[in-house]
Amino acid sequence: DKLTRVTAAESTMSEDEYKKLRKELESDYLALFKKTVAMHELYLSRIAAHSKLREDNNFVVFLEYAKDLKVRSKNKKEISGGFFKSMTKKKKVPTATLR
C-alpha cells in the first residue's frame, strides 16, 4: 500500500523520492475518485431510465435540489426514544356501531 509506504518511509527517503511517491499516491486517489463518480453517474442514469423510479418524488428532489443535501442518521437516543414512544402510544381501536 503506497500510503503506508509514504508514511513509514517519509523520514528515510530523499525529498525527491518522497515527492514522487506522494505524487503517485495522489494520482491513484484521483483515478479512483473519478471511477467512483463515473459509477455513481451510471447508477443515477439507470434509475432515471427506469419507468417507475424516475417518477419517485424523493429521486426528483435529489436530482433537482440546488443546495447541499445534509443527511444524518438517527442517533441511539432518537431511535430508542421513538421505539418507546410508539410502544406507549395509545392506539385508537375502531368501534363498531350496532343498529
Side-chain angles (χ1 to χ4, degrees):
D1 179 42
K2 288 182 184 177
L3 180 59
T4 306
R5 286 191 353 227
V6 167
T7 305
E10 182 177 359
S11 60
T12 60
M13 61 176 42
S14 72
E15 189 174 335
D16 289 338
E17 290 173 324
Y18 175 75
K19 285 181 181 180
K20 181 182 175 191
L21 192 56
R22 183 175 172 156
K23 190 170 185 161
E24 286 177 20
L25 183 63
E26 288 172 353
S27 176
D28 290 349
Y29 174 80
L30 183 59
L32 181 61
F33 180 79
K34 286 181 178 181
K35 181 180 177 182
T36 303
V37 169
M39 290 169 52
H40 282 99
E41 287 176 349
L42 178 63
Y43 176 72
L44 290 173
S45 295
R46 287 181 177 172
I47 292 174
H50 190 276
S51 62
K52 299 271 188 210
L53 296 177
R54 72 171 154 235
E55 296 172 9
D56 181 77
N57 189 46
N58 292 324
F59 182 66
V60 173
V61 168
F62 173 76
L63 291 178
E64 295 178 356
Y65 194 71
K67 298 177 185 176
D68 284 341
L69 293 172
K70 294 185 179 170
V71 179
R72 71 168 185 84
S73 58
K74 291 183 177 182
N75 62 32
K76 290 180 182 179
K77 185 177 179 181
E78 291 170 325
I79 293 170
S80 62
F83 171 74
F84 288 115
K85 200 177 280 184
S86 69
M87 294 300 288
T88 58
K89 192 178 203 180
K90 291 185 179 181
K91 296 183 181 183
K92 293 183 179 179
V93 179
T95 57
T97 56
L98 299 174
R99 290 185 189 195

